[in-house]
């Protein structure tokens, strides 16, 4: 997608955000002394600036589109990247329930595969040694609590 | 003041502080060297450690990493023509050409020594300027502080972004995020939707981890990021520079050191800008201009001294005004805040010994960077062969640990991931991340000073123009906006 289109999309999203943000800000309680700014003052300043800048971005995008729009650009995330993000999300959702170790071992193994590891032995070794090592390093050496799972670790 | 200077020096030479500096320098050289990893990534890796170490050790560790990371970037720039850090991009121009001529050892030695020189010059500036600037900053009132922070944000938008609109949007979105939680003046809950987790607001360190680390993890999945390390097996001669080479690069090193220190003070200017500007100046000032473009050691010395000098320069506004110049100093602020120490002019009043301790730790970081780099470079470059399929998943785990350990909160981990997605969206838009990060760090103060100033003046906005400091900073803000727009128009 050319950058001009991206700018237009982003500008519209930001304008919609501005509307929602302004509505929420208008619901904030006004506890200020007269002639002094209350809790909603700064949000209203921010939303005004965002709206103006989004409008400028929209105009810039439309102008660029009218001028041809430019070539398509590479996306920020490849297909493998999206898979990685999905795996990351699954890991984070399971993290509180399974605990650090039980959640991290399969997560680490999956990432190793995505980053190019192919040897099953290497994947098994890496996904056991490093998460376990990090677990003991942080919990025992640095005394940083990490969530424990149903098996007590 | 002399007692504080001595106390700070004594703190910096405690065995624990020195060991932390050495460890930080070692990690920094490694992290800086690996293309695809940035100094910020390295600091994110060490962040959980800083929660449990005492403040002096934490800062010594992070400073060691900061300084050495800048130098480490030059190793892969010279050996592989791939800068390990963005700041080493200018070094690759001449450094790799020298390597192709079989002079990689010479180039590496000059890079290391020039880095040291730049670091020491900026240390001297830091030692001389910071206390005076801190004293001056004590005179600042709410309008002045508001205008100063505004200047910092507008300056960074200009430096960090090719598009001024996108730079400003990044900053203002950051300010909007900061409004989540309790308002800094009246503690009114804003945009929390009744959720206790949001009452504490978004911690900027959590956001920083997500903004920098997640996009980097995704970037490193690309096939062209899978680098075969030729450097791991490459041989190079002695890295100890000859006296004649050191004499030859004295002027570019001075140019780089002073340029880097000055640009380091400006928020957002950063290593890459300082490095290229210094390279340009050094070329103009050189008697051997014809060597540039064919492998010039002056072309290595200038950017390397500049990018290390930036580190010391960036510490000046960080310590005296609480304004970070780049993501690394933003993290340093976070590390100090975690230990209950607020950077700013009061640090030099209430904890002057600690402030000087930081300054001297920076000095030791440069010393150990020099020694370790010269002695161990032959072994360190072998790290370039470390498999990415082990490194990147490890970083992913450390991101999760770092986010969780901050407040023992799963919510922070989800926030980290969310900001990772935000970082990817910003990449998609070619929108810089640094203004958003700085807005997260400074936004609460910006609002507080604005509202306090307007409360004191009963809503009269002329208070921002009647104070000379405030008027100056507002004028500089306007100038930086005009300059940024002009620069953008010139590029297009």
């Amino acid at each position: 997608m050319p950058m001009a289109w991206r700018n237009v999309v982003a500008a519209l999203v930001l304008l919609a955000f501005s509307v929602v943000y302004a509505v929420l800000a208008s619901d904030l309680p006004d506890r200020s002394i007269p002639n002094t700014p209350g809790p909603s003052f700064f949000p209203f300043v921010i939303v005004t600036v965002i709206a103006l800048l989004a409008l400028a971005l929209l105009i810039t995008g439309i102008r660029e589109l009218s001028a041809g729009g430019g070539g398509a650009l590479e996306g920020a995330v490849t297909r493998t990247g999206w898979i990685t993000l999905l795996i990351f999300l699954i890991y984070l959702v399971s993290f509180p329930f399974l605990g650090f170790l039980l959640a991290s071992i399969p997560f680490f193994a999956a990432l190793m595969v995505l980053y190019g590891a192919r040897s099953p032995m290497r994947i098994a070794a890496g996904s056991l040694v490093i998460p376990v090592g990090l677990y003991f390093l942080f919990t025992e050496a640095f005394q940083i609590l990490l969530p424990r799972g149903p098996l007590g670790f | 003041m002399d007692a504080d200077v001595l106390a700070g020096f004594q703190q910096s030479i405690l065995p624990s502080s020195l060991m932390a500096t050495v460890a930080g320098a070692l990690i920094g050289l490694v992290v800086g060297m690996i293309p695809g990893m940035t100094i910020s990534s390295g600091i994110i890796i060490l962040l959980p450690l800083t929660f449990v170490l005492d403040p002096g050790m934490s800062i010594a560790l992070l400073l060691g990493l900061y300084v050495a990371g800048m130098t480490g970037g030059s190793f892969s720039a010279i050996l592989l023509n791939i800068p390990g850090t963005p700041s080493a991009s200018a070094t690759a121009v001449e450094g790799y050409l020298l390597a192709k001529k079989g002079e990689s050892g010479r180039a590496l030695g000059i890079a290391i020594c020039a880095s040291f020189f730049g670091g020491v010059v900026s240390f001297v500036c830091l030692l001389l300027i910071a206390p005076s600037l801190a004293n001056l900053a004590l005179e600042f009132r709410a309008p002045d502080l508001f205008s100063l922070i505004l200047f910092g944000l507008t300056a960074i938008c200009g430096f960090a972004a090719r598009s001024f609109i996108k730079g400003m949007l990044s900053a203002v979105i950051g300010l909007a995020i900061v409004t989540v939680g309790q308002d800094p003046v009246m503690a009114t809950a804003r945009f929390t939707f009744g959720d206790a987790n949001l009452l504490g607001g978004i911690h900027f360190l959590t956001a920083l981890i997500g903004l920098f680390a997640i996009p980097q993890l995704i970037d490193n999945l690309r096939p062209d990021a899978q680098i075969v390390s030729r450097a791991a097996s490459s041989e190079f001669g002695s890295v100890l520079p000859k006296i004649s080479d050191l004499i030859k690069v004295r002027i570019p090193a001075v140019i780089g050191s002073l340029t880097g220190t000055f640009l380091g003070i400006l928020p957002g200017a950063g290593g890459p800008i300082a490095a290229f500007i210094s390279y340009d100046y050094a070329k103009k000032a050189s008697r051997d201009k014809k060597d540039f473009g064919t492998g010039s050691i002056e072309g290595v010395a200038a950017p390397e001294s500049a990018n290390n000098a930036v580190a010391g320069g960036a510490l000046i506004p960080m310590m005296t005004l609480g304004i970070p110049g780049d993501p690394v100093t933003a993290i340093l602020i976070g590390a100090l805040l975690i230990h209950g120490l607020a950077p700013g002019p009061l640090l030099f009043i209430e904890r002057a010994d600690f402030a000087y301790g930081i300054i001297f730790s920076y000095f030791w970081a440069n010393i150990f960077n020099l020694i370790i780099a010269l002695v161990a470079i032959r072994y360190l470059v072998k790290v370039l062969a470390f498999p990415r399929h082990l490194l990147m998943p490890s970083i992913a785990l450390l991101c999760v640990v770092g986010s969780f350990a901050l407040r023992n909160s799963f919510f922070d981990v989800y926030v980290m991931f969310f900001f990772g997605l935000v970082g990817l969206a910003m990449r998609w838009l070619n929108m810089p991340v640094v203004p958003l990060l700085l807005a997260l760090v400074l936004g609460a103060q910006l609002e507080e000073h604005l509202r306090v100033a307007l409360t004191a003046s009963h809503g009269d906005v002329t208070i921002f123009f009647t104070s000379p400091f405030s008027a100056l900073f507002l004028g500089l803000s306007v100038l930086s906006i005009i300059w940024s727009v002009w620069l953008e128009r010139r590029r297009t």
Side-chain angles (χ1 to χ4, degrees), chain A residues 50-130:
Chain A
I50 290 179
L52 289 171
L53 288 171
L55 213 54
L57 188 65
L58 182 65
I59 292 168
T60 307
I62 290 172
R63 274 192 187 156
E64 285 170 4
L65 282 175
S66 310
L73 297 172
E74 202 179 53
V77 185
T78 59
R79 189 166 154 268
T80 315
W82 286 115
I83 295 170
T84 305
L85 289 170
L86 181 64
I87 290 172
F88 210 134
L89 187 60
I90 294 170
Y91 168 61
L92 293 183
V93 168
S94 63
F95 189 60
F97 306 105
L98 295 179
F100 176 79
L101 263 187
L102 285 183
S104 298
I105 290 171
F107 171 66
F108 200 96
L111 285 192
M112 283 185 73
V113 171
L114 287 166
Y115 280 103
R118 291 293 173 258
S119 157
M121 285 294 295
R122 196 170 273 197
I123 292 168
S127 60
L128 278 173
V129 169
I130 293 179

Side-chain angles (χ1 to χ4, degrees), chain A residues 6-7 21 39 92 115 142, chain B residues 49 52 166 179 190 217 428:
Chain A
R6 296 182 187 189
N7 289 341
Y21 188 83
L92 293 183
Y115 280 103
F142 301 142
Chain B
L49 264 184
V52 296
K166 290 187 180 178
T179 58
R190 294 186 300 195
L217 289 171
W428 184 73

